[in-house]
């Protein structure tokens, strides 16, 4: 076929983690295989849409897939071939697999996969659904296995979720990733707890301003330390060296990590947050400090 009448194609690549992206079965290798396939079929590959997102679920939450569908919408007069490296990259959820198939059909797109032959027949559609269901089963089984392992590790006294400010993960041979104090943030967080418990910081706003004085203290994408971030820190029992998890029904289990504060300090902070305890009255309130508490 001449270049003038070559069928146009777009490539969709997806990996479920940053690790997969860097390894041999990452986005780059998927794109290479899909381009080789397009060349063998004499297609003109005009665009590539990558995604780095795990699991199944709604394909409209995948930026790459949303961009691909928008690309097809922007050129309604063209009929594109959409190439996938593997059917599992398409959708690992039966419900959304069928929805995505209808979205492709509505746009006149022709789906082609390197290791699966899409067929517009009752038998072909049945086989496609079976493979999608198999992918969903595998994904849900993996999720269950991961959850069980995480629960077992938590019950053994090891924190497994994201660590709050003041801690970091350090990998140790034979023990996995362990929670360790992260200086100087650990000292900053300890001072915030002790200062709030003793009344040196009268309000959460003062704790917030204290954190803001440290340029390296973790901030959100807008470069801010929010009031909610401050509260999340002050109510986190992990700082006492204990593990709590509603999801796994774990309550005040002694952890293997080093505490930053005592339980007594933590309890004083909780009392102040709940309005039970009051900060001691300042002696320097008077004419010389007329705006104390207002400014």
């Amino acid at each position: 076929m001449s270049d003038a009448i070559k069928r146009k194609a777009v490539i969709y690549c997806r990996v479920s983690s940053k690790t997969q992206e860097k390894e041999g079965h990452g986005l780059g290798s998927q794109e290479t295989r899909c381009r080789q396939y397009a060349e063998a079929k004499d297609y003109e590959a005009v665009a590539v849409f990558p995604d780095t997102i795990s699991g199944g679920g709604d394909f409209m939450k995948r930026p790459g897939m949303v961009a691909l569908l928008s690309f097809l919408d922007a050129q309604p007069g063209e009929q594109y071939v959409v190439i996938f490296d593997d059917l599992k990259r398409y959708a690992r959820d039966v419900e959304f697999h069928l929805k995505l198939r209808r979205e492709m059909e509505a746009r006149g797109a022709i789906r082609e996969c390197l290791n699966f032959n899409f067929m517009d027949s009752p038998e072909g559609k049945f086989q496609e659904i079976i493979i999608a269901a198999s992918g969903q089963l595998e994904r849900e089984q993996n999720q269950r296995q991961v959850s069980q392992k995480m629960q077992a590790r938590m019950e053994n006294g090891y924190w497994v979720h994201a660590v709050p400010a003041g801690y970091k993960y350090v990998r140790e041979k034979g023990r996995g990733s362990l929670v360790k104090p992260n200086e100087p943030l650990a000292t900053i967080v300890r001072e915030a707890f002790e200062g709030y418990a003793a009344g040196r910081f009268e309000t959460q706003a003062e704790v917030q301003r204290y954190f803001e004085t440290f340029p390296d203290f973790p901030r959100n994408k807008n470069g801010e330390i929010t009031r909610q971030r401050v509260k999340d820190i002050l109510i986190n029992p992990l700082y006492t060296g204990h593990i709590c998890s509603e999801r796994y029904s774990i309550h005040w289990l002694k952890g293997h990590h080093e505490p930053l504060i005592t339980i007594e300090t933590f309890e004083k902070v909780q009392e102040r947050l709940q309005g039970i305890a009051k900060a001691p009255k300042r002696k320097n309130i008077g004419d010389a400090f007329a705006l104390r508490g207002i400014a």
Side-chain angles (χ1 to χ4, degrees):
M1 297 174 65
S2 67
D3 290 342
I5 59 174
K6 273 188 175 182
R7 170 161 280 173
K8 294 182 179 180
V10 295
I11 295 170
Y12 179 73
C13 307
R14 182 177 73 87
V15 292
S16 57
S17 68
K18 291 295 183 182
T19 301
Q20 288 184 351
E21 183 179 357
K22 297 176 182 178
E23 292 177 354
H25 52 291
L27 295 175
S29 58
Q30 286 185 44
E31 180 181 345
T32 297
R33 290 193 294 272
C34 289
R35 285 191 179 278
Q36 291 171 345
Y37 174 87
E39 185 177 353
K41 300 279 284 188
D42 206 26
Y43 297 153
E44 180 187 0
V46 298
V48 179
F49 298 92
D51 264 325
T52 303
I53 190 167
S54 63
D58 191 353
F59 54 85
M60 292 307 289
K61 293 181 180 179
R62 302 184 199 166
M65 181 58 74
V66 172
L68 189 155
L69 296 175
S70 299
F71 177 86
L72 298 178
D73 287 336
Q75 300 167 88
E78 295 276 2
Q79 186 180 49
Y80 287 88
V81 176
V82 180
I83 303 174
F84 303 88
D85 170 71
D86 188 279
L87 196 58
K88 291 180 180 179
R89 310 297 178 189
Y90 187 70
R92 300 187 71 187
D93 182 291
V94 175
E95 176 187 357
F96 289 108
H97 183 103
L98 296 176
K99 287 184 178 180
L100 183 54
R101 184 173 72 182
R102 289 194 291 269
E103 293 289 343
M104 294 286 182
E105 291 173 349
R107 292 164 172 79
I110 300 172
R111 300 171 302 149
E112 293 192 13
C113 182
L114 275 62
N115 59 8
F116 181 78
N117 184 24
F118 291 103
M119 294 183 293
D120 191 21
S121 66
E123 295 78 10
K125 292 179 179 179
F126 176 76
Q127 185 179 6
E128 182 181 341
I129 293 174
I130 291 298
I131 294 178
S134 176
Q136 179 174 335
L137 174 62
E138 179 184 351
R139 174 176 58 82
E140 292 177 351
Q141 287 176 330
N142 288 341
Q143 289 177 340
R144 181 179 61 189
Q145 186 178 35
V146 169
S147 179
Q148 290 171 343
K149 289 181 178 179
M150 291 174 65
Q151 180 174 356
R153 186 164 175 81
M154 291 267 281
E155 290 172 346
N156 285 329
Y158 295 96
W159 186 250
V160 298
H161 302 300
V163 291
Y167 281 119
K168 64 180 178 179
Y169 275 117
V170 177
R171 191 162 189 84
E172 290 189 7
K173 188 175 181 180
R175 301 183 66 191
S177 295
L178 303 180
V179 176
K180 300 285 187 179
N182 183 19
E183 294 292 356
L185 296 180
T187 298
I188 295 171
V189 170
R190 184 184 297 111
E191 175 62 23
F193 268 100
E194 293 177 350
Y196 191 76
R200 294 197 304 274
F201 299 129
E202 289 194 47
T203 65
Q204 293 180 61
E206 289 188 13
V207 177
Q208 180 183 7
R209 289 193 289 272
Y210 169 70
F211 286 151
E212 289 172 345
T213 62
F214 300 95
D216 294 333
F217 199 87
R219 287 161 165 77
N220 63 17
K221 61 182 179 181
N222 296 322
E224 301 171 338
I225 300 174
T226 64
R227 193 70 57 83
Q228 185 61 47
R229 166 65 69 85
V230 173
K231 184 176 181 180
D232 289 343
I233 290 174
L234 294 177
I235 65 173
N236 194 335
L238 192 71
Y239 292 111
T240 68
H242 292 78
I243 290 176
C244 297
S245 172
E246 292 184 7
R247 178 178 180 181
Y248 298 128
S249 299
I250 298 174
H251 305 289
W252 291 94
L253 175 67
K254 187 70 175 71
H256 291 285
H257 62 283
E258 178 184 335
L260 298 188
I261 60 171
T262 65
I263 292 181
E264 291 74 21
T265 297
F266 183 80
E267 289 176 344
K268 288 180 181 178
V269 168
Q270 306 318 299
E271 290 176 354
R272 291 208 57 207
L273 290 174
Q274 296 167 15
I276 299 175
K278 301 296 182 180
K281 183 178 180 182
R282 293 178 182 267
K283 297 180 180 180
N284 56 359
I285 296 179
D287 294 338
F289 298 92
L291 297 182
R292 170 73 73 183
I294 298 176

